[in-house]
Amino acid sequence: MSEKNEKKFTTISIPTALAEKIKKRIEGTGFHSLSSYVTYVLRELLASMEEEGAGEALTKEEEEKIKERLRALGYLD
Amino acid sequence: MSKPHGGKLINRCVFRDVDLNDANVVRVNADRAEDIENIAHGVFSPLEGFLCRNDLESVLDDKRLDNDIPWTIPILLDLDEKELAGAKEGDTIFLTHENGMVSEMEIEEIYTIDKKKVAEKVYGTTDPSHPGVSMTFNMKDLIIGGRITLLKEGKKPFDEFLLWPKETRILFREKGWKEVVAFQTRNPPHIGHEYVQKTALTFVDGLFINPLIGRKKKGDFRDDVILKAYETLIQNYYPQDRAVLSILCTSMKYAGPREAIHHAIMRKNFGCTHFIVGRDHAGVGNFYPPYAAHEIFREFPDLGIKPVFFRSFFYCKKCGGVVNEKICPHRGDDIINFSGTAIRKMLKNGEVPPPTMMRKEVAETILQFDRMFVE
């Protein structure tokens, strides 16, 4: 493994029986390795746990200013 | 509503006056000025500045930033030695544009790139006839990475249609829209576009029509034509409380599938939950297979915005309406394709295309313009 790849990847351990099940599961799919499948599933799982929302709240004044602009441009009544 | 990409809507706007007399000032072109404002206003969240080398390499090799967040198009600042005027890593420079935009940049890294590799990875080709490849080959030699702060906004055309993500997020909330589908466009609407949008809208709360305003290639429709055409369509044929028209100031890269992901990420930052991906999205010529932009979404289970895939719509004489190949069994002479080239030709000749191709009101609006196309 190149130095760059060593930095970008790490090793995790999963039960051998589970690994075998996954190998069978990904046969004939677009996944080329156990690692690519596990990476996919973990990314999907983490993304599904993200909460909805704007992330960062605006102050009341900031929000009112935005609403004023939206009204002035005809986007809001 | 979708959470911003990376979890937080970036805000790098700190508006203030600055004395540039003794400062290291670099004048940037229109594309870079747009990038700066898009970074500052969170359109490119989670980016806080232009990419450093680690992020660039990760974007090229893995289609992700170095921290694993999906990102497919490199956002780079290229300068030459003369423009950099001796500035080095750790220094602060000011980036300005003739439209009045002023921003500050902390130089984190100065590096060079292998332009051929960038072109190959981003555009899938090194053919210089590809507009994105040609743009890459014409980049200046030094790439400057680092965080930007927008100090003064530039004057932009059509600013009455310009909304930033923090504004659309409030707008969608006030309208009571929880699920919003975004439609990316660079053309006036024909009947096929209308049906795609309305089909998608059927399943969500609101439609966000978001044309790209910025540098396009010769022969493309002019921005003012696209906007007026959409205004006409929405006024006449859309429920007013279900559709929003707003522009996005950024240039087309014509990077096909990679750009489809980029387009989706930007709309996620505007608060959209769904993104329409049609045939040959962001493609040019025959560089990409027609549905390559559909395939690439499979690589991103963590994108955070749902793609809505459409194949081409067409008018079927036998069915007597607009359909697509999934729902209509007829082919050949029974169908009329919405050919952009044919519509363009008719409009160029001053003709109103048939109602099976374009709404009469939309065509008449377009025909009012003396100059319809980018020259």
Side-chain angles (χ1 to χ4, degrees), chain B residues 61 167 171 174 187 190 207 221 295 301 323:
Chain B
D61 294 337
E167 295 172 321
L171 177 62
E174 290 299 305
N187 280 305
H190 58 53
L207 169 68
F221 277 100
E295 299 296 320
V323 291

Side-chain angles (χ1 to χ4, degrees), chain B residues 265-285:
Chain B
I265 290 171
M266 289 189 283
R267 276 44 181 245
K268 176 185 173 187
N269 284 326
F270 281 106
C272 300
T273 51
H274 295 72
F275 180 65
I276 294 171
V277 189
R279 188 183 183 277
D280 199 23
H281 189 107
V284 60

Side-chain angles (χ1 to χ4, degrees), chain B residues 24 86-93 105-108:
Chain B
N24 191 344
K88 50 193 187 309
E89 289 171 7
D91 288 354
T92 296
I93 56 174
M105 179 179 188
E106 305 151 28
I107 301 181
E108 199 179 322

Side-chain angles (χ1 to χ4, degrees), chain A residues 4 7-9 39-41 43-44 47 50-56 58 62-63 66-67 69-70 73 75-76, chain B residues 1-4 7 58 61-62 64 68 159-163 167 169-171 173-175 244-245 298 301-302:
Chain A
K4 189 182 157 198
K7 199 183 123 206
K8 292 193 91 172
F9 291 90
T39 303
Y40 183 94
V41 170
R43 280 176 175 155
E44 188 175 40
E50 272 191 6
E51 287 167 28
E52 289 188 353
E56 203 108 317
L58 295 168
E62 284 171 326
E63 195 168 320
I66 288 173
K67 283 185 192 166
R69 178 166 190 261
L70 291 171
L73 293 176
Y75 283 102
L76 279 180
Chain B
M1 198 181 301
S2 281
K3 199 167 184 175
S58 188
D61 294 337
D62 305 322
R64 289 172 181 274
D68 204 51
D159 61 352
E160 69 274 27
F161 289 102
L162 179 62
L163 299 180
E167 295 172 321
R169 286 173 171 274
I170 288 176
L171 177 62
R173 195 193 65 205
E174 290 299 305
K175 283 180 170 290
V244 162
L245 172 66
R298 289 186 190 166
D302 50 346

Side-chain angles (χ1 to χ4, degrees), chain B residues 26-33 36 77 79 83 95-98 101:
Chain B
V26 179
R27 170 93 35 136
V28 295
N29 64 26
D31 288 356
R32 294 297 82 76
I36 290 166
L77 175 63
L79 299 178
E83 287 171 314
L95 306 173
T96 64
H97 183 61
E98 61 194 27
M101 186 280 301

